Amino acid sequence: MPTEAHPHRFLFVLVTLLCALGLAPAAAAKDRASDADQATEPGVEERWYLVELAGSPAGWMWGRRDTDDAGTITTDTEMLLRVRRGAITLEVGVETQSVETAAGDPISMTSTQDFGGSSTTSVYEFQGDTVRVTTTQGGQVINREVPRPEGEWLMPAAAERAARAAAAGGEDRFTVTTLDPAAGLSPITTLRAEPTPAKIEITDADGASTVEGTRWTVTSTALPGIKSTETLDAEGEMLASSTNLGGFDLVMTLSDRATALGESNSAEAPEMMVSTFVRATGIADGKIDRPRMLKHATYRVSVADGDLPPLPTAAGQTVEVIGDRAARVSVSARTQAASKPQVATDADRGSSSMINLDDPELRRMHLRATAGLTEDASLLARAEAIRRFVHRVIARKDLGVGFGSASETARSRRGDCTEHAVLLAALLRLDGTPARIASGLIYADAFAGAREIFGYHMWTRALVEIDGVPTWIDLDATLRGTRFDAAHIALDESPLADDGLTTTYARIATALGRLAIEVESLDHD
């Protein structure tokens, strides 16, 4: 991939999916040393799991449930993942806590996510019909009050009790709807079905042993299109789980602290970027000539098995569905008005933890980005000027950042495609232009030792007027000389609101390792 284009972070996708599965990540292992000694105390349940990704040890998960004298139940879950992006190894961690009464009434939830040094903490305090949400990221604190989630749902401990009761009652198909701190205030419904007897080999300090349990097929509304298996023991505790994330299997197996930490720290972290690249067919050697000058292209995008995730028709992209497993995607980089006025949502204009419009540093940066523009400059001209500014202001272009917010990037001036996309969206919104993020693929002549490939990528979309018609356009701030080219394929788009991101990442993850791209036509004029 050319130096001015940067691949999208599979790490963030992966960890968000883990959070949605209720398998949240972790702080440093040494912090758990004293906790492990308390596992036998009355009212305390604790378990460790070894996490393997693509067949290699990649981290660990720790879970603990504590019931105090008043019956208040505190559930903590943590996970640490180590993966490589080319030559760079990153640690990705998430820590969650939920507090509820003995009857299952919600008290609070907390989620801390650390992606390669970029940390976000969200605290949810339940206050009757409302929830007070405090999000801290990059030194910025955002407070808001939102309605309590509608419908019937359970807190984590109550949800686990319900699941155990259903399984113990002999049900062979049941659903549980719950809140997960890592997924925010969007209730998640999980279906367990098709129970079958299973044997799991457990390795701990005492050696290997075989444990009998029941294996369930698990699907979740948070992860549409993704199936997991979960093996439970006679008491309903998880012995193992396996989730296919596109072309990768994530396996978690019951262990002990020493084994989980030792295995994950001694092994080389699995590589999770280069292995997701896609080499196109339909053209000689998979090579697209002058990709940054490409004005229009048509691709046939398909998967060999399962269903192709729905692809967005927006901005310069149109999609023709060809059965369940393929679609014809046409991408145009030409500037032209939409056939009818297009619209934006409130989320495309507002603040979130990733895009804090009240941040004074972002406001100062917006003034610098627009300083040279005249009052009569069109929205399109303003958007392009801001795109070029973002390309310049992120001076250190590398893969070492996790998933930086606009506030963090405004201060660090460092990152790859995600940081460029998010910062551009923030500055556009401050300029009064609705903006959202597109996630998908970009063609590159060479990147990370691979040649002529499509790599996962992120860019920005803005709603501007063209010939008086509100029209969504694509803007890629990683590109130096052009705002966009037709060597991009969008798989999803998102306003980066605090809730609802999981579905976006699920769609991307289900495509990883499964997509095939055939080039049908290319036009540079």
Side-chain angles (χ1 to χ4, degrees):
M1 192 160 301
T3 55
E4 73 270 16
H6 308 277
H8 178 60
R9 285 182 207 2
F10 172 67
L11 284 183
F12 185 71
V13 176
L14 174 62
V15 174
T16 304
L17 293 176
L18 295 177
C19 297
L21 282 167
L23 309 176
K30 63 182 180 181
D31 296 339
R32 301 277 67 85
S34 60
D35 291 336
D37 297 334
Q38 302 176 35
T40 57
E41 291 182 357
V44 175
E45 304 171 52
E46 179 176 277
R47 286 200 168 191
W48 285 82
Y49 296 85
L50 174 65
V51 179
E52 296 175 286
L53 188 61
S56 299
W60 50 268
M61 188 188 82
W62 168 87
R64 169 177 167 141
R65 181 159 292 145
D66 188 351
T67 304
D68 66 16
D69 293 339
T72 301
I73 304 172
T74 301
T75 302
D76 295 281
T77 57
E78 304 184 6
M79 180 183 282
L80 184 72
L81 272 180
R82 295 173 60 250
V83 295
R84 285 185 294 119
R85 302 175 64 200
I88 298 175
T89 297
L90 291 180
E91 290 191 348
V92 185
V94 178
E95 177 180 355
T96 72
Q97 182 180 87
S98 62
V99 183
E100 59 196 275
T101 68
D105 295 323
I107 298 174
S108 66
M109 302 192 308
T110 304
S111 172
T112 299
Q113 304 181 10
D114 188 349
F115 302 100
S118 174
S119 181
T120 302
T121 298
S122 297
V123 179
Y124 306 86
E125 299 172 280
F126 292 85
Q127 304 170 340
D129 293 334
T130 62
V131 183
R132 178 177 174 80
V133 183
T134 303
T135 302
T136 304
Q137 186 178 55
Q140 301 297 305
V141 179
I142 303 174
N143 293 298
R144 56 195 176 100
E145 192 170 281
V146 300
R148 177 182 171 124
E150 297 180 352
E152 296 184 3
W153 45 265
L154 301 172
M155 289 290 282
E160 184 170 324
R161 290 198 302 270
R164 288 189 186 186
E171 296 187 37
D172 59 5
R173 181 184 179 89
F174 61 90
T175 61
V176 176
T177 300
T178 186
L179 289 186
D180 184 303
L185 295 174
S186 299
I188 297 170
T189 298
T190 301
L191 168 66
R192 289 178 175 85
E194 304 171 8
T196 58
K199 294 182 179 180
I200 297 294
E201 185 173 286
I202 304 296
T203 302
D204 57 24
D206 297 326
S209 61
T210 301
V211 181
E212 294 186 355
T214 301
R215 180 177 291 120
W216 297 80
T217 298
V218 182
T219 56
S220 169
T221 56
L223 305 173
I226 294 179
K227 281 189 176 182
S228 302
T229 62
E230 191 175 90
T231 303
L232 309 180
D233 64 15
E235 285 71 44
E237 290 281 0
M238 189 176 80
L239 296 172
S241 72
S242 178
T243 303
N244 182 262
L245 300 170
F248 307 95
D249 286 324
L250 173 80
V251 178
M252 309 182 69
T253 308
L254 182 66
S255 183
D256 63 357
R257 179 180 184 276
T259 303
L261 297 179
E263 289 285 337
S264 58
N265 288 327
S266 62
E268 182 180 32
E271 201 288 318
M272 301 305 298
M273 182 182 69
V274 176
S275 54
T276 69
F277 291 164
V278 182
R279 188 171 175 83
T281 62
I283 46 177
D285 299 322
K287 181 177 176 59
I288 296 178
D289 292 326
R290 297 176 291 142
R292 306 286 77 91
M293 301 295 291
L294 192 61
K295 297 300 182 183
H296 189 277
T298 303
Y299 309 96
R300 188 180 189 275
V301 179
S302 63
V303 292
D305 53 64
D307 294 338
L308 179 71
L311 306 180
T313 294
Q317 178 167 300
T318 59
V319 178
E320 175 192 353
V321 176
I322 310 171
D324 295 332
R325 296 182 179 178
R328 179 167 290 106
V329 180
S330 297
V331 183
S332 175
R334 300 182 180 110
T335 302
Q336 55 189 23
S339 57
K340 60 181 179 180
Q342 299 177 336
V343 298
T345 66
D346 290 342
D348 295 318
R349 299 181 174 89
S351 281
S352 67
S353 59
M354 291 299 295
I355 300 177
N356 179 11
L357 301 183
D358 293 325
D359 181 1
E361 182 59 31
L362 282 177
R363 290 181 174 273
R364 285 191 290 269
M365 184 169 280
H366 168 253
L367 292 176
R368 292 197 297 275
T370 57
L373 295 172
T374 61
E375 292 185 3
D376 60 350
S378 68
L379 292 177
L380 180 60
R382 296 183 71 88
E384 171 59 9
I386 296 171
R387 186 198 68 82
R388 290 176 178 271
F389 173 85
V390 170
H391 180 82
R392 295 193 305 270
V393 82
I394 300 181
R396 183 176 174 183
K397 302 181 188 296
D398 62 27
L399 304 174
V401 184
F403 191 2
S405 68
S407 294
E408 290 173 308
T409 305
R411 291 164 173 80
S412 71
R413 314 290 180 88
R414 175 191 179 195
D416 63 9
C417 65
T418 47
E419 284 69 43
H420 286 74
V422 173
L423 180 59
L424 176 54
L427 298 183
L428 288 169
R429 289 183 191 181
L430 285 171
D431 202 51
T433 298
R436 58 179 57 156
I437 303 301
S439 297
L441 302 109
I442 185 174
Y443 174 86
D445 292 323
F447 186 76
R451 299 192 61 82
E452 286 83 43
I453 51 87
F454 278 88
Y456 285 82
H457 189 61
M458 183 178 283
W459 63 95
T460 313
R461 285 177 165 168
L463 186 67
V464 301
E465 283 196 359
I466 299 177
D467 297 333
V469 180
T471 302
W472 283 102
I473 63 167
D474 293 290
L475 298 165
D476 191 339
T478 69
L479 303 180
R480 182 181 293 110
T482 181
R483 69 172 176 85
F484 189 70
D485 59 65
H488 293 65
I489 301 173
L491 301 182
D492 206 276
E493 60 180 3
S494 168
L496 288 186
D498 287 326
D499 298 324
L501 283 176
T502 304
T503 299
T504 290
Y505 300 132
R507 288 175 179 167
I508 298 169
T510 56
L512 289 167
R514 298 175 60 230
L515 277 186
I517 299 173
E518 178 185 352
V519 177
E520 294 188 339
S521 67
L522 301 171
D523 187 353
H524 290 82
D525 297 326

